[in-house]
Amino acid sequence: MTEPKNLNDLLYETLKDIYFAEKQIVSALPKMAEAVQSPELKQAFQTHEGQTETHIERLEQVFELLGKPAQQKTCNAILGIIEEGKEVMEEFKGTDALDPGLLAGAQAVEHYEISRYGTMITWAKTLGLDDVAELLAMTLDEEEETDELLSEIAETTVNARAA
Ligand SMILES: [Fe+2]
Ligand SMILES: [Fe+2]
């Protein structure tokens, strides 16, 4: 008989999901940086591309700590958010509304990540995996900072320019 699945399994499955998502994000960010007009927004996307590379490395460290292979699992949520970003790029190309549209898409990505990392940190702590929780918390901090920076850019420059 196979063992019933437990919280450890759930954590591993969710890590595979976010590992896939981070890899999708790292390839979407340069395209988003290229598409936008606002230098502030462009810079924010470029900075976050570098951070996202670190997020991928941290996840690989987490898989190693767990003694499990670093595998990806298709994350339909992130594929959907990225697909909507592509729609905005096509529909609002060359307009002032493109930047606010892509900024909003990027915030949807951050909110997805914040939700996932927050949950995984709680599970890791419950399982006594403090070293794992610590690594995930470093990434969560950067996702939250990025989200706040994007809000600031929206409120101070990008939205006003498009209005
Ligand atoms: Fe990330
Ligand atoms: Fe992110």
Side-chain angles (χ1 to χ4, degrees):
M1 235 181 74
T2 50
E3 291 268 314
K5 287 194 190 298
N6 58 29
L7 192 60
N8 268 299
D9 300 314
L10 192 59
L11 175 62
Y12 183 47
E13 291 308 308
T14 309
L15 283 164
K16 290 196 279 189
D17 170 289
I18 198 75
Y19 188 48
F20 175 92
E22 293 282 20
K23 290 202 174 215
Q24 294 291 316
I25 295 162
V26 88
S27 74
L29 278 168
K31 293 167 205 157
M32 290 164 69
E34 209 185 292
V36 294
Q37 292 295 317
S38 154
E40 296 91 344
L41 191 53
K42 205 177 277 286
Q43 180 61 57
F45 287 163
Q46 283 164 350
T47 303
H48 201 52
E49 187 193 337
Q51 289 175 329
T52 302
E53 278 162 16
T54 307
H55 300 172
I56 292 169
E57 284 163 20
R58 284 197 195 112
L59 287 171
E60 285 162 357
Q61 283 175 262
V62 167
F63 285 120
E64 214 169 298
L65 283 169
L66 296 175
K68 301 220 168 143
Q71 280 176 3
Q72 300 182 52
K73 179 181 182 179
T74 304
C75 168
N76 286 313
I78 210 72
L79 290 179
I81 295 171
I82 290 173
E83 188 53 42
E84 288 186 358
K86 281 187 198 151
E87 277 173 31
V88 168
M89 270 193 238
E90 283 162 23
E91 288 169 21
F92 291 89
K93 201 177 175 184
T95 76
D96 288 340
L98 180 70
D99 281 14
L102 283 181
L103 189 152
Q107 279 195 292
V109 169
E110 293 316 303
H111 291 183
Y112 179 72
E113 291 182 292
I114 289 165
S115 158
R116 285 307 192 186
Y117 280 104
T119 297
M120 290 189 297
I121 291 164
T122 307
W123 289 343
K125 282 184 186 160
T126 305
L127 293 164
L129 301 165
D130 292 344
D131 41 2
V132 168
E134 220 169 285
L135 280 166
L136 298 174
M138 288 164 79
T139 295
L140 178 60
D141 280 349
E142 289 170 0
E143 310 293 18
E144 285 174 341
E145 280 166 23
T146 301
D147 181 43
E148 281 163 28
L149 174 66
L150 290 172
S151 288
E152 203 184 297
I153 293 172
E155 286 159 19
T156 56
T157 59
V158 162
N159 290 353
R161 262 180 224 151

